[in-house]
Amino acid sequence: MTRNNYSFPRDFLWGAATAAYQIEGAWNVDGRGESIWDRFSHTEGKVNNGETGDVACDHYHRFAADVEIMRRLNLKAYRFSISWPRVLPSGRGPVNPAGLDFYDRLVDALLEANIEPFVTLYHWDLPQALEDMGGWSERDTCGYFADYAALMMRRLGDRVRCWATFNEPAIVSFLGFRTGQHAPGYRSQRLALQVGHHLLVAHGMALQSMRAIKSDSEAGIVLSLWPPEAQSDTPELKASAEKLWQKDEAWFVDPLLRAHYPVLGWQEYGDDVPEIRPGDMALISQKLDFIGVNYYSRKLMGPDGQISPVPGSEHTEMGWEVTPSSLRKLLVRLQEEYRCPPIYITENGAAVADRVAEDGSIHDERRISYLRDHLVAVHNAITDGVDVRGYFVWSLMDNFEWAFGYSKRFGIVHVDYATQERRIKDSGLWYSQTVRRNGFQLPSAGEPSEPLVETAR
Ligand code: FCB
């Protein structure tokens, strides 16, 4: 292998990811119940510009055409989430047959196109009916989640191999309950940590209920990891980066992979630590078939102990620093410090201020270089011995970016929200080529890059 030839392992799972509330729309159609994100986005002042997921990409009605786009992109896998209130409008009790049918048809369409479905059960849209009963602050919600997971496994388990229980429990807990930026919008650290614990308990209970139905599926969880790093090598800064790792990242990694909360983090949280019942840690730390890593950037600790990026460094439209080398370090850390199960990069991508050119094309070079540089980091980590099984771009298409509404575009496919027209961006063309070749070659200095064309499998 020459140094600029990045060829990935055979069977590497190349995909793209989305989440139900961000793309489906059809929020009150065919018996779907209300979710906390409907309630939140319909509340004044919560989302940029008052935008909502009411219509979003209208994927609920356009899924067949969207699967066709995925086929054109050569995707081998598609990570999507199930809207809990679409299948169980009150979160428990009577099912909504139309909701279950929708996911049935989506899975069938994917399989027909030779694309592996990768399901996330919870990507933030709790049924509002459960929120009205206390939501994630109530332990009962864990049992309802396990029942919902079982329902989906019974329905789709014959065709879906990979199942993630939760997307980013840290974000659910910290942004939903500590900072209030996400639904349901509480602001209490103590509540956030109790909720975080309940999410982990719910994860453990769901693993059990799903495995009781089908023991040979692959079940895991998706974590958002923003590794803290010190701007300089002083012992104080390195210690404060480690403290932050324990409070944010390891707070979720350690219970899952070591069956206890990190000691330093526990001390730091003082009286706000969660109530743990006997047996909880064993439930939480059951065998995982994979860990999903969502990586966007690092947290860089400046001299004053505050998070402050290096001046002049590159940032995406989210204001997130572009730091691919931190992804390699993170993956190696997971491998070396934890007995880490196989890893999928379940999200990675960049918000770019895209412009549609007159001929309809979108030249998003910045997204291409972001994706390419992060894939180089993944490749390097694999060479270092980390067992990375696949990579999912966030996102398949532009969509509702939570509190930012439609102002941030992450897609490799452009969506015109007025007409719902989809256009494959240059990054989509680049990615389809990469998937087809199972990697890429970087041009040597002075050599031109290859032209981007749509390629068939
Ligand atoms: C992640 C979320 C995903 C998307 C990206 C940009 O934290 O899981 O839904 O919003 O950020």
Side-chain angles (χ1 to χ4, degrees):
M1 188 188 80
T2 61
R3 266 189 48 190
N4 43 13
N5 181 9
Y6 292 90
S7 214
F8 282 73
R10 223 157 44 96
D11 300 329
F12 192 74
L13 204 58
W14 295 97
T18 63
Y21 189 71
Q22 296 180 275
I23 63 164
E24 283 181 5
W27 77 286
N28 58 359
V29 167
D30 292 347
R32 178 183 176 282
E34 189 189 9
S35 81
I36 56 172
W37 266 95
D38 297 307
R39 182 65 65 90
F40 192 74
S41 66
H42 292 160
T43 306
E44 216 189 305
K46 299 296 186 192
V47 174
N48 180 47
N49 235 349
E51 287 163 344
T52 72
D54 290 4
V55 179
C57 307
D58 196 29
H59 173 75
Y60 182 75
H61 295 114
R62 294 167 194 267
F63 77 91
D66 289 338
V67 172
E68 176 55 24
I69 292 172
M70 295 181 222
R71 204 187 52 73
R72 280 172 54 194
L73 289 172
N74 295 328
L75 298 191
K76 291 190 177 173
Y78 172 52
R79 173 173 175 244
F80 62 97
S81 79
I82 310 270
S83 157
W84 185 350
R86 195 180 289 292
V87 296
L88 285 162
S90 307
R92 59 192 184 131
V95 302
N96 175 29
L100 286 169
D101 285 351
F102 169 69
Y103 294 108
D104 244 350
R105 285 183 285 136
L106 173 60
V107 164
D108 286 345
L110 288 167
L111 293 175
E112 181 80 10
N114 228 342
I115 298 168
E116 172 151 12
F118 190 116
V119 165
T120 306
L121 287 168
Y122 189 83
H123 203 125
W124 306 354
D125 44 359
L126 184 77
Q128 181 63 40
L130 293 184
E131 177 62 25
D132 293 342
M133 295 163 55
W136 289 117
S137 41
E138 287 298 325
R139 205 174 156 108
D140 286 350
T141 304
C142 304
Y144 302 138
F145 179 72
D147 292 345
Y148 152 60
L151 169 74
M152 295 319 301
M153 182 59 92
R154 253 183 251 113
R155 185 67 178 227
L156 302 178
D158 57 335
R159 284 156 293 156
V160 174
R161 176 175 63 114
C162 291
W163 295 79
T165 53
F166 284 90
N167 180 68
E168 304 187 341
I171 302 296
V172 174
S173 141
F174 296 148
L175 269 59
F177 293 83
R178 188 168 69 190
T179 69
Q181 289 156 285
H182 282 182
Y186 291 102
R187 289 198 177 89
S188 150
Q189 173 159 280
R190 194 189 178 130
L191 185 58
L193 296 178
Q194 191 60 57
V195 162
H197 185 67
H198 287 160
L199 298 173
L200 291 173
V201 169
H203 157 80
M205 289 172 64
L207 286 185
Q208 287 183 334
S209 71
M210 292 196 295
R211 284 178 177 152
I213 291 162
K214 204 159 183 294
S215 54
D216 63 347
S217 56
E218 284 188 28
I221 187 167
V222 170
L223 301 178
S224 107
L225 297 171
W226 291 65
E229 288 178 20
Q231 234 180 54
S232 67
D233 248 0
T234 64
E236 296 77 32
L237 263 197
K238 282 169 73 179
S240 59
E242 178 58 23
K243 206 185 282 173
L244 196 58
W245 166 267
Q246 293 215 7
K247 288 175 75 177
D248 287 0
E249 277 67 35
W251 193 256
F252 291 89
V253 180
D254 287 21
L256 289 160
L257 297 182
R258 290 180 170 161
H260 60 77
Y261 281 98
V263 175
L264 188 59
W266 189 268
Q267 280 165 8
E268 284 290 312
Y269 280 132
D271 290 344
D272 290 340
V273 294
E275 183 203 324
I276 300 177
R277 296 202 187 158
D280 279 1
M281 300 317 288
L283 189 61
I284 292 170
S285 58
Q286 285 168 83
K287 176 179 173 281
L288 288 169
D289 298 308
F290 66 86
I291 281 266
V293 171
N294 290 357
Y295 177 83
Y296 290 94
S297 186
R298 63 176 170 181
K299 290 181 287 221
L300 194 62
M301 314 287 296
D304 51 359
Q306 298 297 312
I307 299 169
S308 51
V310 193
S313 53
E314 190 190 344
H315 292 82
T316 66
E317 280 297 297
M318 296 296 282
W320 298 345
E321 191 196 1
V322 179
T323 52
S325 59
S326 305
L327 173 57
R328 177 186 189 169
K329 278 190 259 174
L330 168 69
L331 294 171
V332 170
R333 180 170 192 179
L334 290 173
Q335 174 91 356
E336 284 177 355
E337 285 184 24
Y338 297 88
R339 274 186 311 162
C340 192
I343 293 174
Y344 290 100
I345 307 300
T346 33
E347 286 180 29
N348 176 240
V352 175
D354 296 319
R355 270 195 189 76
V356 183
E358 251 168 47
D359 64 356
S361 51
I362 295 120
H363 303 305
D364 55 342
E365 287 89 3
R366 289 187 62 202
R367 184 173 288 106
I368 296 179
S369 43
Y370 182 98
L371 297 177
R372 189 198 53 216
D373 293 351
H374 285 78
L375 278 163
V376 166
V378 172
H379 193 275
N380 287 337
I382 294 174
T383 311
D384 293 338
V386 187
D387 186 4
V388 186
R389 301 271 170 101
Y391 174 94
F392 293 79
V393 177
W394 184 272
S395 177
L396 171 68
M397 55 185 151
D398 296 336
N399 57 49
F400 177 80
E401 178 47 35
W402 308 113
F404 294 90
Y406 296 98
S407 63
K408 307 291 178 201
R409 293 183 177 269
F410 273 93
I412 55 172
V413 174
H414 182 272
V415 176
D416 178 333
Y417 296 112
T419 60
Q420 291 296 346
E421 194 178 338
R422 274 76 158 140
R423 284 198 179 91
I424 297 180
K425 302 179 191 177
D426 282 1
S427 58
L429 298 177
W430 178 84
Y431 194 62
S432 70
Q433 205 169 70
T434 299
V435 177
R436 192 173 60 85
R437 296 176 177 167
N438 200 31
F440 47 85
Q441 281 192 334
L442 295 185
S444 314
E447 244 178 46
S449 331
E450 278 181 83
L452 293 168
V453 286
E454 200 170 315
T455 58
R457 247 196 291 218

